[in-house]
């Protein structure tokens, strides 16, 4: 989120040098900086006891490639709760174990993506209206169906490298 106006008083913000932070949006009325911030979201590689990955296809994300489960962190939620909620909402699966792996900055959408691995029992999917298709895929199958260089494929490769 890039601040143009003060969230408190509505005044137009001016860029001001703030310590070693550089130029930061600053409200002269309130006398405080408003640091630009990315949107926090989770991206989760869902795997089962057979080392298969649950990947989804969403037309509004890509008509061609499968992706991992992702979603925005809601106020009052931890990142782990968000990841588990999104798995439940999009696939209808309960997360048994979840591990944070790392963060990625996705500049195109100004998002800080907090990456997780979620372990579930293999079951049929109960997909949400946001999901066009979901499949259990082996590493090789998943790797062929994902966008090269994407955060999702990096999660897949890191999981199977260990």
């Amino acid at each position: 989120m890039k601040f143009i106006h003060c969230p408190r008083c509505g005044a137009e913000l001016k860029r001001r040098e703030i310590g070693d932070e550089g130029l930061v949006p600053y409200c002269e009325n309130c006398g405080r900086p408003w640091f630009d911030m990315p949107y926090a979201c989770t991206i989760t590689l869902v795997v089962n006891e057979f080392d298969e990955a649950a990947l989804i296809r969403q037309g509004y994300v890509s008509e061609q490639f499968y992706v991992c489960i992702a979603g925005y962190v809601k106020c009052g939620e931890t990142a782990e709760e968000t990841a588990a909620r999104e798995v439940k909402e999009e696939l209808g699966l309960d997360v048994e174990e979840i591990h944070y792996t790392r963060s990625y900055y996705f500049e195109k959408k100004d998002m800080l993506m907090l990456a997780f691995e979620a372990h579930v029992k293999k079951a049929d999917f109960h997909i949400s209206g946001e999901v066009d298709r979901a499949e259990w895929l082996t590493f090789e199958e998943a790797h062929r169906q994902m966008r090269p260089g994407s955060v999702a494929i990096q999660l897949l490769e890191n999981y199977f490298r260990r």
Side-chain angles (χ1 to χ4, degrees), residues 54-112:
L55 298 179
I56 61 173
R57 185 168 287 159
Q58 296 172 298
Y60 70 92
V61 175
S62 175
E63 293 288 336
Q64 182 180 2
F65 296 108
Y66 279 83
V67 297
C68 290
I69 302 299
Y72 289 97
V73 178
K74 293 180 179 178
C75 289
E77 275 185 328
T78 66
E80 291 82 358
E81 289 168 340
T82 299
R85 174 182 52 78
E86 289 290 338
V87 170
K88 182 70 170 177
E89 286 176 2
E90 295 187 7
L91 294 175
L93 301 175
D94 293 314
V95 172
E96 294 186 338
E97 193 176 328
I98 193 160
H99 302 284
Y100 171 79
T101 59
R102 64 174 286 197
S103 63
Y104 300 84
Y105 182 68
F106 186 45
E107 187 172 5
K108 181 179 175 183
K109 293 194 176 181
D110 202 22
M111 294 188 308
L112 177 60

Side-chain angles (χ1 to χ4, degrees), residues 6 22 30 35 70 78 89 98 119 132:
C6 177
C30 297
F35 292 89
T78 66
E89 286 176 2
I98 193 160
H119 298 267
D132 299 326

Side-chain angles (χ1 to χ4, degrees), residues 23-36:
L23 291 174
V24 174
Y26 187 84
C27 179
E28 293 174 354
N29 290 340
C30 297
R32 68 161 291 182
W34 292 94
F35 292 89
D36 291 333

